[in-house]
Amino acid sequence: MTPSPDRKRLHVITWGCQMNVYDSGRMADVLAPLGYAPAETADGADMVILNTCHIRDKAAEKVFSELGRLRRLKEATGNRMILAVAGCVAQAEGAEILARAPYVDIVLGPQTYHRLPEMVARASRAGASRAGASRAGGVVIETDFPVEDKFDHLPDSARPQGVTAFLTIQEGCDKFCSFCVVPYTRGAEQSRPAAAILREARHLVAQGAREITLLGQNVNAWHGEAPDGSSWGLGRLLRELADIPDLPRLRYATSHPRDMDDDLIAAHRDVPALMPFLHLPVQSGSDRILEAMNRKHSAADYRRIVDRLRDARPDLALSSDFIVGHPGETEADFEATMTLVRQVDFALAYSFKYSPRPGTPAAGAPLQVREADKDRRLQALQALLREQQARFAQACVGLTLPVLFTGPGRHSGQIVGRSPFLHPVHLSGHADLIGNESMVRIVTAHPNSLAGTLVQERLIA
Ligand code: SAH
Ligand code: SF4
Ligand code: F3S
């Protein structure tokens, strides 16, 4: 019999997108057999993983400042703490991390975390053999894109799942938008086989998940091997997932307008489990800027896709990402974005000032937009988007919506749920409703949430 490994404390700090949230969970899964159990804080932890994001502004500086803080906590453990930097900054700037933060033990990219047990073993050996404070040569770095598929090496998660869970089905990006680091940090587009996804989804449901969000940098580019050897698109995969018992809700993010095919649009009509909320980033409403961004679609194409989606699912709420101040953007281009926003009417949206990213084509482009212009445009756009978001939430007041209860509320006797449109919904109710979906009459709309009253208990289970 093998002795059970010593219990160790693992703290994971997650920045960035939903895929990083998923990856952080999977890193914990990989380390669980070594005896690592989740810890709430980095203080006194045996291992800390900083899972980083490189998408915008000063990403690396933020990492170094956090590492400075973690260094002090590491020293307080007599340097027992293993410090790992993961994610997209690790991938893009691994060498700089090694140079500037030699107290870091492990630097690993998003495609190698299945090898963490081996990295931890190497880092521990290096730590043990290091004399005194010298750290040189002790660092483990894994930022290649290995030929083996990390998903083949990940264990089933033993973590209890929340009511809502993420499931990565596709990773990487081949689109090379002018402004974006993702194709460099996450590598080429890769789709997981359908059988592996269906298996993981069933496992998540067995662990308590009732809503699964399928993730990918371009999740609707997913083209996975089907169990019979043919190839499925996302529409077909959603239909199969919808057949899993006790899984009443499905979502997917983030999608690209170019990959919105007929079958996926039809799935919005045919699959009731597919929630009527879609994050479909457009970035800009100006054809000139869309071309400069290498998005390979026009504003009219986007509007057409939205019309078709709304024909298929009339209650569909839309969300998007926008960038203001991409190189070459004029006032007229910005106005075209405002026009598109008015035409489409978004329930939710994220908007950013263009931020030059090292190594991307737009970073070196002429006609960079002045910071003051970016600020002004962002403020105007966000004011319009906030107004649309508030109007959409207000329109929910008086409706009776299915709400999936996800956890306890802030006060006793309260619970929180999620509307079909992703709003948090607060109401009075018993904690034993968590994990169930019930009809709730929406009474009040707040800027980022709704409040309601229970009208019918338990639609499921
Ligand atoms: N794959 C998704 C987006 C992934 S990145 C898509 O194609 O839409 C998430 C969002 O960050 C992007 O939609 C974009 O709005 C924003 N973003 C990416 N790079 C940026 C940059 N250099 N400056 C500002 N915003 C950026
Ligand atoms: Fe980045 Fe464009 Fe790929 Fe989205 S589609 S991840 S914005 S390169
Ligand atoms: Fe950030 Fe990497 Fe996600 S750059 S947005 S963590 S894919």
Side-chain angles (χ1 to χ4, degrees):
M1 218 179 94
T2 43
S4 68
D6 293 341
R7 209 178 132 84
K8 302 186 198 94
R9 299 175 66 244
L10 168 71
H11 181 66
V12 187
I13 301 166
T14 308
W15 293 340
C17 61
Q18 296 167 330
M19 196 171 289
N20 263 14
V21 175
Y22 175 86
D23 289 347
S24 288
R26 300 304 264 143
M27 287 193 266
D29 292 339
V30 173
L31 291 171
L34 275 68
Y36 285 96
E40 286 289 311
T41 70
D43 214 344
D46 298 281
M47 178 164 181
V48 173
I49 301 176
L50 178 59
N51 195 7
T52 61
C53 172
H54 205 236
I55 202 82
R56 281 176 293 274
D57 274 0
K58 305 191 181 94
E61 288 320 304
K62 201 173 148 203
V63 169
F64 287 113
S65 113
E66 180 69 3
L67 284 177
R69 182 182 80 90
L70 293 172
R71 175 191 201 168
R72 287 188 290 279
L73 295 179
K74 178 180 166 124
E75 283 166 359
T77 65
N79 285 326
R80 177 178 46 87
M81 176 193 288
I82 296 177
L83 186 51
V85 185
C88 291
V89 177
Q91 184 66 47
E93 313 213 13
E96 196 182 342
I97 293 170
L98 294 189
R100 281 180 58 184
Y103 46 90
V104 166
D105 300 285
I106 298 173
V107 173
L108 73 156
Q111 303 310 334
T112 51
Y113 60 74
H114 56 297
R115 296 181 183 165
L116 260 171
E118 173 198 323
M119 294 180 222
V120 167
R122 273 159 57 202
S124 306
R125 277 199 302 274
S129 66
R130 282 194 291 240
S134 162
R135 298 255 162 282
V139 178
V140 178
I141 178 157
E142 291 270 6
T143 51
D144 54 348
F145 292 105
V147 243
E148 86 256 18
D149 182 352
K150 75 170 174 244
F151 291 106
D152 293 342
H153 298 263
L154 295 176
D156 281 346
S157 174
R159 281 172 295 134
Q161 290 297 322
V163 176
T164 61
F166 293 132
L167 200 177
T168 293
I169 65 165
Q170 180 278 344
E171 230 180 308
C173 181
D174 297 340
K175 297 225 165 25
F176 292 91
C177 298
S178 61
F179 50 83
C180 185
V181 290
V182 171
Y184 312 97
T185 62
R186 291 273 173 172
E189 256 174 44
Q190 262 192 320
S191 294
R192 293 178 68 189
I197 296 166
L198 289 163
R199 185 172 171 277
E200 188 170 333
R202 283 191 202 97
H203 183 73
L204 290 170
V205 172
Q207 301 281 100
R210 294 293 175 268
E211 175 181 299
I212 292 182
T213 303
L214 306 178
L215 297 182
Q217 265 86 30
N218 279 306
V219 70
N220 56 342
W222 182 83
H223 260 92
E225 187 193 329
D228 66 2
S230 66
S231 168
W232 286 352
L234 184 58
R236 176 65 192 269
L237 180 67
L238 285 162
R239 287 167 218 267
E240 300 288 328
L241 286 161
D243 285 340
I244 295 178
D246 296 327
L247 178 56
R249 288 184 167 203
L250 294 167
R251 304 177 186 274
Y252 62 92
T254 292
S255 42
H256 194 292
R258 272 167 61 203
D259 295 314
M260 215 67 223
D261 66 20
D262 293 349
D263 188 48
L264 183 54
I265 293 175
H268 281 273
R269 183 192 61 219
D270 304 336
V271 181
L274 185 53
M275 290 292 97
F277 177 94
L278 179 64
H279 185 62
L280 188 63
V282 64
Q283 315 295 355
S284 167
S286 154
D287 287 344
R288 244 173 41 82
I289 294 301
L290 286 169
E291 166 119 41
M293 287 176 163
N294 194 31
R295 294 289 289 184
K296 297 205 170 75
H297 65 80
S298 66
D301 293 335
Y302 185 83
R303 280 190 291 264
R304 245 187 322 270
I305 293 164
V306 167
D307 288 345
R308 292 184 57 210
L309 282 160
R310 283 178 168 158
D311 281 347
R313 180 88 204 221
D315 59 346
L316 186 78
L318 279 155
S319 149
S320 179
D321 294 340
F322 294 92
I323 295 179
V324 298
H326 183 275
E329 186 186 77
T330 62
E331 283 303 314
D333 294 317
F334 174 65
E335 276 312 316
T337 299
M338 296 291 273
T339 302
L340 179 98
V341 172
R342 285 189 197 98
Q343 288 165 336
V344 173
D345 201 0
F346 292 95
L348 185 71
Y350 304 90
S351 42
F352 313 98
K353 285 193 283 182
Y354 167 72
S355 152
R357 308 308 293 132
T360 59
L367 301 174
Q368 297 284 331
V369 175
R370 289 188 330 182
E371 212 50 35
D373 290 332
K374 289 187 200 170
D375 283 330
R376 187 173 36 77
R377 289 175 195 169
L378 187 68
Q379 275 180 26
L381 176 61
Q382 290 189 337
L384 176 60
L385 291 167
R386 260 198 310 274
E387 195 184 301
Q388 295 190 342
Q389 184 177 333
R391 204 169 341 109
F392 179 76
Q394 201 58 47
C396 293
V397 173
L399 300 182
T400 298
L401 298 175
V403 171
L404 177 66
F405 299 115
T406 51
R410 228 173 288 149
H411 305 289
S412 83
Q414 283 191 340
I415 47 174
V416 185
R418 185 178 271 187
S419 81
F421 312 114
L422 271 189
H423 302 107
V425 183
H426 300 271
L427 70 158
S428 300
H430 252 285
D432 66 359
L433 279 173
I434 294 166
N436 283 276
E437 199 178 30
S438 300
M439 295 310 285
V440 170
R441 189 173 164 78
I442 305 301
V443 180
T444 329
H446 302 291
N448 299 306
S449 66
L450 302 172
T453 54
L454 209 54
V455 297
Q456 180 204 339
E457 293 202 5
R458 294 174 201 275
L459 289 176
I460 51 166

